[in-house]
Amino acid sequence: MRIRTAVFPVAGLGTRFLPATKTVPKEMLPIVDRPLIQYAVDEAIEAGCDTLVFVTNRYKHAVADYFDKAYELEQKLEKSGKHEQLELIRNVLPAHVRAVFVTQAEALGLGHAVLCAKPVVGDAPFAVLLPDDLIWSRGQGALAQMANHAEATGSSVIAVQDVARAQTGSYGIVDAPTFSGRAGRIEAIVEKPKPADAPSTLAVVGRYILDPRIFGLLETTQTGAGGEIQLTDAIARLLPEAAVDAFRFHGTRFDCGTHLGLIEATVRYALDHEILSAPAAQMMQSALDEMGVTET
Ligand code: G1P
């Protein structure tokens, strides 16, 4: 079965990026010319999703506004013949895609945010995308790759990548001892273990395709790491009931929840941009030269 619904938990406070995130949600921070959320949305649409569920809070009007029709702006652009720009704002969401907004009244954790989407998702497998994790790929996007695997096998699928052992405390970590190609059956999953306790160094990246049975499990999942209701803990309880595969996607992931990750993504997308690439490379080179930054 092909997934049709994608859930975007976007209710986080984004305190790492204060003061910028005092008024601008972190999902609206731009990489070159598009906000982070747009990259995740495009990836979901490419994977075949036509219902996008944004789990927001009352401070995140900017996300809903962004996906709404901007009548005045469209009229102005039309009058002044700026057709290219008009297309850009019209194509934020293609006509066949609908956006649904659900409120997470309290910040009780990622698991709780996903549970808030239950009334919209219903009883079919669905995707979860964390827009902080930006995945750059020349070919097919990460979620489309995962959706193909889910469709072929009927498994739930979780994106993973190898990290340094010292970093396990920042991720969900899976134990998937045998891989065949890009996928390996998950035998255990644990949220943010200390390096010494981590079952492996295979870390969860923010892309999931989940069996809807996860909702029933989330309803009874107690608070876990960081005092929050963790999606990872509900997935751990799904393992005895359903096949869940770790998937090593093809692509590069940038952790845009950190300053360095956001900078890295900006540099990479600028260098990959069809018009900006050469001038951006030149500008970076002169900045390095002028600032006296040398290789270490
Ligand atoms: C969340 C998940 C974690 C996952 C990570 C990926 O953590 O809880 O399992 O590895 O996203 O970005 P967060 O980064 O929201 O603390």
Side-chain angles (χ1 to χ4, degrees):
M1 193 170 164
R2 193 78 189 179
I3 44 153
R4 302 280 303 271
T5 307
V7 176
F8 301 85
V10 291
L13 293 177
T15 48
R16 267 205 199 142
F17 289 105
L18 283 170
T21 46
K22 190 176 167 196
T23 53
V24 181
K26 65 175 172 171
E27 296 78 15
M28 295 306 295
L29 296 176
I31 303 293
V32 185
D33 52 6
R34 298 192 297 159
L36 271 175
I37 188 75
Q38 181 79 59
Y39 291 92
V41 158
D42 289 350
E43 194 184 319
I45 295 170
E46 187 215 352
C49 296
D50 57 12
T51 300
L52 313 180
V53 189
F54 299 92
V55 183
T56 66
N57 64 33
R58 82 190 96 135
Y59 304 107
K60 298 271 180 118
H61 295 296
V63 178
D65 291 348
Y66 178 76
F67 290 107
D68 203 356
K69 195 172 164 70
Y71 287 101
E72 270 185 41
L73 183 56
E74 285 195 17
Q75 269 177 1
K76 276 187 188 155
L77 292 173
E78 198 148 26
K79 262 193 189 160
S80 50
K82 295 191 168 162
H83 299 295
E84 223 172 284
Q85 283 92 334
L86 188 61
E87 278 316 292
L88 283 177
I89 60 162
R90 278 192 178 149
N91 290 342
V92 158
L93 278 189
H96 74 282
V97 175
R98 62 176 183 151
V100 181
F101 294 85
V102 170
T103 304
Q104 184 186 20
E106 280 180 283
L108 298 179
L110 177 60
H112 178 255
V114 171
L115 182 56
C116 292
K118 180 184 172 191
V120 186
V121 174
D123 198 25
F126 65 102
V128 176
L129 296 94
L130 310 185
D132 281 8
D133 280 335
L134 176 55
I135 303 179
W136 181 82
S137 164
R138 271 202 204 284
Q140 202 170 42
L143 192 70
Q145 299 168 41
M146 294 165 66
N148 291 343
H149 180 75
E151 198 174 24
T153 59
S155 310
S156 292
V157 189
I158 299 178
V160 295
Q161 72 173 25
D162 292 287
V163 297
R165 185 160 281 274
Q167 294 178 352
T168 59
S170 303
Y171 295 96
I173 299 290
V174 304
D175 183 19
T178 36
F179 267 73
S180 149
R182 293 195 170 271
R185 185 62 38 91
I186 297 179
E187 292 183 4
I189 182 167
V190 43
E191 182 68 3
K192 303 197 170 102
K194 290 190 189 117
D197 304 331
S200 80
T201 53
L202 208 50
V204 173
V205 170
R207 299 289 183 276
Y208 309 76
I209 292 176
L210 296 170
D211 187 295
R213 276 177 281 179
I214 198 75
F215 290 125
L217 297 166
L218 280 168
E219 275 163 354
T220 55
T221 295
Q222 305 295 313
T223 51
E228 298 191 333
I229 298 172
Q230 296 290 351
L231 181 59
T232 298
D233 294 344
I235 294 171
R237 295 172 58 211
L238 181 65
L239 297 179
E241 292 180 32
V244 186
D245 288 346
F247 190 85
R248 283 193 166 105
F249 56 93
H250 182 76
T252 308
R253 171 238 183 198
F254 300 103
D255 181 1
C256 294
T258 67
H259 293 104
L260 212 52
L262 198 70
I263 295 168
E264 195 184 2
T266 304
V267 168
R268 183 70 68 96
Y269 278 78
L271 292 175
D272 194 46
H273 194 277
E274 50 172 344
I275 298 164
L276 299 173
S277 175
Q282 208 173 29
M283 179 268 286
M284 286 174 207
Q285 193 57 59
S286 22
L288 289 171
D289 295 345
E290 263 174 54
M291 308 287 288
V293 182
T294 49
E295 269 180 52
T296 48

